[in-house]
Amino acid sequence: MPELEHRGCGWVGLDEVGRGPLAGPVTVAAVILARPLLGLADSKKLSPARRAHLARQIRAEAKAWSIAWAGSWEIERYNVLQATLRAMDRALQALPPGPWRVAVDGNRALPHWHAETLVKGDSRLDAIAAASILAKTARDAEMDALDRHLPGYAFAQHRGYPTPLHLAALQRLGPSLIHRRGFAPVAALTRNA
């Protein structure tokens, strides 16, 4: 695996997780690294144990970090892309003031943040990889908590993604309060209710 690029302290890495699930929030993390950290990679390529270890290290050693959410209601009201951009803005606003330059994973960014977009940025830039790890571990923890409050959907197993297990639970139980009613499988059940 090629070495990730390190950008100086003036750069913020920004990434999101959870745009594709049928339930739960979109989670955005913003990270300013103080120094390169060994082992950073796209969160999807790391084991849960490795992600958890790196998330603790990032939180302890980063110059600054923040996490923001866009819940199901916001996704329904604005659409998933606009809700994600709103959460990105909140994550950036939560950082300490500074002349930060922003590097965003993907091809969409907030125009007023002097952002550079990087497709597959979580595999190319260490600050984005760090944000990817924080966003993924935070969303997984949130879905674990929601699983305890909304038993039967198995959110801790599928994290809200449209797996056969989730679709079967959705058919059996109907949509919960955290389901995204604008997404096709949920909308179909809502129309038929």
Side-chain angles (χ1 to χ4, degrees):
M1 175 183 220
E3 195 65 27
L4 295 173
E5 182 182 346
H6 177 69
R7 298 262 173 115
C9 298
W11 281 86
V12 177
L14 190 67
D15 199 7
E16 55 73 27
V17 295
R19 283 181 58 185
L22 304 178
V26 170
T27 307
V28 174
V31 176
I32 304 169
L33 292 173
R35 63 177 185 83
L37 298 177
L38 294 177
L40 291 177
D42 175 357
S43 65
K44 295 179 290 298
K45 296 178 181 176
L46 300 169
S47 71
R50 185 72 183 140
R51 272 195 307 266
H53 170 78
L54 285 167
R56 287 189 297 272
Q57 186 177 9
I58 293 162
R59 289 173 191 243
E61 297 182 28
K63 180 176 278 195
W65 60 271
S66 67
I67 295 174
W69 312 84
S72 300
W73 71 268
E74 196 169 6
I75 293 165
E76 288 174 28
R77 182 170 181 182
Y78 298 106
N79 78 42
V80 72
L81 173 60
Q82 292 306 312
T84 300
L85 292 173
R86 291 167 64 88
M88 285 181 178
D89 192 47
R90 287 192 290 272
L92 291 169
Q93 294 283 350
L95 294 174
W100 310 123
R101 299 247 351 249
V102 181
V104 181
D105 182 44
N107 61 3
R108 298 285 180 105
L110 296 161
H112 58 279
W113 277 99
H114 305 294
E116 178 179 328
T117 58
L118 288 172
V119 174
K120 298 191 184 299
D122 48 6
S123 295
R124 297 170 55 195
L125 190 69
D126 59 353
I128 295 176
S132 167
I133 291 164
L134 285 192
K136 173 75 172 139
T137 55
R139 187 177 191 284
D140 285 356
E142 178 69 8
M143 294 309 290
D144 290 349
L146 290 167
D147 184 58
R148 292 188 292 276
H149 294 291
L150 297 165
Y153 291 98
F155 288 132
Q157 291 174 283
H158 55 68
R159 310 289 190 213
Y161 285 89
T163 65
L165 176 66
H166 187 188
L167 294 173
L170 195 55
Q171 283 287 336
R172 189 175 67 254
L173 301 170
S176 73
L177 293 174
I178 66 162
H179 276 93
R180 301 172 183 178
R181 282 163 172 70
F183 282 42
V186 183
L189 286 173
T190 306
R191 279 194 303 273
N192 297 334

